[in-house]
Amino acid sequence: MCEANVYLKKGQEEILLVENVDRVVPQEDGILLEDIFGRRKLVRAKIKEMTLVDHKIFLEEV
């Protein structure tokens, strides 16, 4: 499977926001995350790092 888990980085802390993310869509007011079940979450953040081999996407608040 190619899904990733999305985390919000706050300092050294990594907070899990959404599991099994299939789509990441930049929006004017943040990033729209959609999981494999079609559930969506809009996060006011920007992408900080993606480690796709580890299936992880890290965001930071804006």
Side-chain angles (χ1 to χ4, degrees), residues 32-43:
L32 179 65
L33 306 170
E34 184 175 313
D35 71 10
I36 58 174
F37 303 107
R39 293 180 292 216
R40 294 178 169 193
K41 183 171 191 168
L42 180 63
V43 181

Side-chain angles (χ1 to χ4, degrees), residues 7-33:
Y7 300 85
L8 182 66
K9 284 192 102 167
K10 285 189 173 182
Q12 298 299 318
E13 188 177 11
E14 297 173 355
I15 302 164
L16 178 62
L17 293 180
V18 183
E19 294 179 291
N20 301 314
V21 170
D22 182 46
R23 294 180 67 213
V24 177
V25 183
Q27 305 287 306
E28 284 187 27
D29 53 348
I31 297 175
L32 179 65
L33 306 170

Side-chain angles (χ1 to χ4, degrees), residues 43-59:
V43 181
R44 295 181 140 267
K46 65 180 181 180
I47 294 174
K48 180 173 179 70
E49 179 181 357
M50 298 172 70
T51 57
L52 299 179
V53 170
D54 296 328
H55 305 274
K56 294 181 176 179
I57 298 171
F58 297 99
L59 305 179

